[in-house]
Amino acid sequence: MIYLHKLLPIVLSPIGLILGLMLWAAFKRSRAAALLAIVLLYGLSMPVVSDRIFRTLEQHQLPLAAESLAPGQAIVVLSGMLSHIQAEQGVVPQFGSSSSRFWGGIELFRAGKAPQLVFTGGLMPWHGEQEPEGQVLRRKALELGLPAGALRVSGPAQNTAQEATAVQQALGPQVKRIILVTSAFHMPRAKKLFEQAGFVVTAYPVDFGVEARQTTPMDFLPSARAFKNADTAVREFLGRGYYALF
C-alpha cells in the first residue's frame, strides 16, 4: 500500500505532468504539448513562482520560541530527516535537510516543556535492514546527554497517519497533551491527523522553506532548488486533499 501512496502522486506532480506532456508531444507530434511542458518546467523552476506556492503551505505558521509554549505531557518529533550513505564501515545515517525537527525537539525538552521526548519509528520497506529512524535519533539524543528514561521511540510507521497511531499506542491513553515538532509545510496536515488520533496538539513548526528577502532578478532564473520546492508543495497539497477526502 505504501508504494501506491508514493507512486500515485507522481502522476499529478510537476515531474509527472511534464513527463506526460513530453511523451504526448513525442508520440503525437504536438507542439502545444511540448510548449506547455517547457512553460511548466520554466515557470515552476523560477524562485519567484515556487516560493509563492511553497509559502501557501507555511501560511499561519511562524517560528516560535520554546519558552513561549505551554507545557505538554510529551514532545513528539516526526521522522523524515535522515538519509543513509555508504561508508567504509557500512551504511551509516546522516542528517538531511529537515534536521531542525530533531534539534527543535531537543530544545523543547531542555526548556522543560514535557517530561517525555518521543521519536517516531519511521521505516520504509525499501530501507532494508536499516534501523528505524527513531532509534537512531534516540541514540543521538543520549549522546547529547538527555536521560534515557525520558526518551521513547514509537513503533514502525510509513506515513504521518501511521505515526499518529504508533505514538498513541506508545504513550497510552493517559497522555493527551503533546507538542508536535515537524516541518512548517507539513504541520497543518500532521496536526489534524494527531488530533484525529485523540491528542490535544500544540504545534512547534520548524524547517521553514521560504526565506524572508527582497525579490531580485535572480528569482526569475530557473533553479533546481526552486523546482524541488514546487514539487514538494504540490505533493503536500495532494496529501492534504487525500486525507481530507478519505
Side-chain angles (χ1 to χ4, degrees):
M1 179 61 74
I2 188 62
Y3 287 100
L4 191 61
H5 277 242
K6 296 296 182 183
L7 290 173
L8 283 179
I10 294 177
V11 178
L12 297 176
S13 71
I15 291 175
L17 290 173
I18 291 169
L19 286 176
L21 287 167
M22 290 172 65
L23 288 172
W24 183 266
F27 283 105
K28 296 295 183 178
R29 299 183 182 277
S30 171
R31 292 184 179 180
L35 180 60
L36 183 55
I38 293 171
V39 169
L40 277 175
L41 179 59
Y42 184 77
L44 294 175
S45 297
M46 288 192 297
V48 71
V49 174
S50 70
D51 283 357
R52 287 180 182 273
I53 298 172
F54 204 90
R55 190 175 286 113
T56 62
L57 294 173
E58 296 184 340
Q59 64 183 350
H60 310 307
Q61 304 291 326
L62 294 173
L64 302 171
E67 294 75 15
S68 69
L69 269 65
Q73 294 174 283
I75 300 159
V76 177
V77 178
L78 300 192
S79 298
M81 69 195 81
L82 293 183
S83 60
H84 291 77
I85 59 172
Q86 185 67 48
E88 290 184 358
Q89 65 271 36
V91 177
V92 297
Q94 67 174 4
F95 280 120
S97 59
S98 300
S99 61
S100 52
R101 298 184 186 188
F102 174 79
W103 299 111
I106 297 295
E107 181 182 18
L108 288 169
F109 183 82
R110 286 176 170 170
K113 293 303 174 179
Q116 299 183 77
L117 177 57
V118 183
F119 300 108
T120 58
L123 185 64
M124 295 297 184
W126 49 84
H127 285 165
E129 300 299 320
Q130 295 173 10
E131 281 186 289
E133 184 167 320
Q135 296 291 354
V136 179
L137 297 176
R138 182 181 185 275
R139 189 162 59 249
K140 179 65 176 177
L142 288 171
E143 293 172 2
L144 294 173
L146 273 66
L151 302 175
R152 306 188 68 171
V153 179
S154 77
Q158 298 176 348
N159 56 39
T160 311
Q162 291 183 11
E163 285 181 306
T165 301
V167 170
Q168 182 189 48
Q169 294 171 348
L171 292 176
Q174 70 277 9
V175 176
K176 293 295 184 184
R177 294 180 292 105
I178 66 168
I179 301 174
L180 184 63
V181 185
T182 190
S183 301
F185 78 88
H186 182 236
M187 180 60 77
R189 177 159 61 100
K191 185 173 184 290
K192 287 183 179 180
L193 288 169
F194 272 81
E195 288 172 342
Q196 289 173 6
F199 290 106
V200 177
V201 179
T202 297
Y204 190 70
V206 295
D207 185 32
F208 287 80
V210 180
E211 300 178 48
R213 57 182 178 81
Q214 295 293 322
T215 301
T216 71
M218 296 297 295
D219 291 312
F220 294 88
L221 299 179
S223 159
R225 180 199 66 81
F227 187 83
K228 178 179 181 296
N229 280 350
D231 188 70
T232 300
V234 170
R235 289 170 181 267
E236 179 63 22
F237 282 126
L238 291 172
R240 293 184 188 185
Y242 173 85
Y243 284 115
L245 289 173
F246 301 105

